[in-house]
Amino acid sequence: MARGQQLETPLGRVSRRTSAESKDRFGRFTEWIARAMGTPMFLAILTLFCIAWIAWNTLTPPSMRFDSAANGFTALTLMLSLQASYAAPLILLAQNRQDDRDRVQIEQDRQRAERNLADTEYLAREVVALRMSIDDMTKEVMTRDMLRQELRSLLDELDRRDQPSDSAEETSDHR
């Protein structure tokens, strides 16, 4: 054990981190086994092993055989049963770990979908607000244009009123 690790853990206590790391290491190992058992290579190797076992115990001289064909290759059957009895729980452990990861992934996806929905609703409200403000500005611009037109017409009318009085003033100034 490294000196730094000794100082992290009080005397007489076992670090919980090592237990968690140990469980995780075992979990990764079970997943590796489950993945390996599901490959064509594993099936090919197991098939070659069984063929070699049967060939050895059938074709070699009886003094060199260790599993009798007369007994139905009992040792081979026991070895394959032992392998299967360990394989099933290891595969189940790997499936449980995968289920846990899937559950976490589904929860993260649900949260992401909720955030996306909230963002989309916010953006939709913003678009509506922008449309409303553009409509208001358009109405306001129309009102300004109308006001300008009205002011021009009033100025024109005032100019017309002032023109006859201007000509009358000019005649009075000439006298």
Side-chain angles (χ1 to χ4, degrees):
M1 187 183 289
R3 185 172 178 88
Q5 290 174 344
Q6 288 176 344
L7 296 176
E8 287 179 355
T9 308
L11 288 177
R13 293 190 181 180
V14 178
S15 173
R16 293 181 195 198
R17 206 175 342 156
T18 57
S19 175
E21 288 173 1
S22 173
K23 287 180 184 178
D24 191 51
R25 188 177 302 127
F26 182 72
R28 286 193 310 261
F29 173 73
T30 60
E31 287 176 342
W32 178 80
I33 293 288
R35 268 190 237 106
M37 285 183 172
T39 63
M41 180 61 81
F42 175 78
L43 294 175
I45 290 171
L46 186 61
T47 301
L48 290 175
F49 174 76
C50 290
I51 289 171
W53 183 289
I54 291 170
W56 179 270
N57 288 298
T58 305
L59 302 175
T60 58
S63 63
M64 296 183 70
R65 296 178 188 169
F66 54 86
D67 194 13
S68 168
N71 293 334
F73 298 108
T74 307
L76 177 63
T77 304
L78 288 173
M79 284 188 61
L80 292 176
S81 296
L82 181 66
Q83 183 268 335
S85 68
Y86 276 100
L90 290 175
I91 290 170
L92 287 174
L93 285 171
Q95 286 176 341
N96 289 341
R97 283 177 52 92
Q98 184 62 44
D99 288 343
D100 292 342
R101 279 194 300 272
D102 289 345
R103 213 173 296 118
V104 168
Q105 184 65 40
I106 287 169
E107 179 62 24
Q108 289 174 348
D109 289 345
R110 186 189 62 76
Q111 290 173 354
R112 192 174 302 117
E114 284 178 358
R115 283 192 307 268
N116 287 342
L117 180 63
D119 290 346
T120 303
E121 288 174 349
Y122 171 75
L123 290 174
R125 286 191 301 270
E126 288 297 312
V127 167
V128 168
L130 285 173
R131 283 184 180 168
M132 290 173 63
S133 65
I134 288 172
D135 286 345
D136 289 345
M137 287 174 58
T138 305
K139 289 177 185 175
E140 192 174 304
V141 168
M142 288 175 55
T143 306
R144 286 181 189 161
D145 290 341
M146 290 172 52
L147 182 61
R148 286 185 184 128
Q149 185 179 5
E150 289 294 320
L151 286 172
R152 283 189 188 122
S153 65
L154 282 172
L155 282 173
D156 289 343
E157 187 179 324
L158 286 173
D159 284 343
R160 275 182 269 145
R161 283 185 187 170
D162 284 346
Q163 283 177 356
S165 65
D166 284 343
S167 60
E169 286 178 12
E170 286 177 11
T171 55
S172 65
D173 286 339
H174 289 299
R175 292 185 199 175

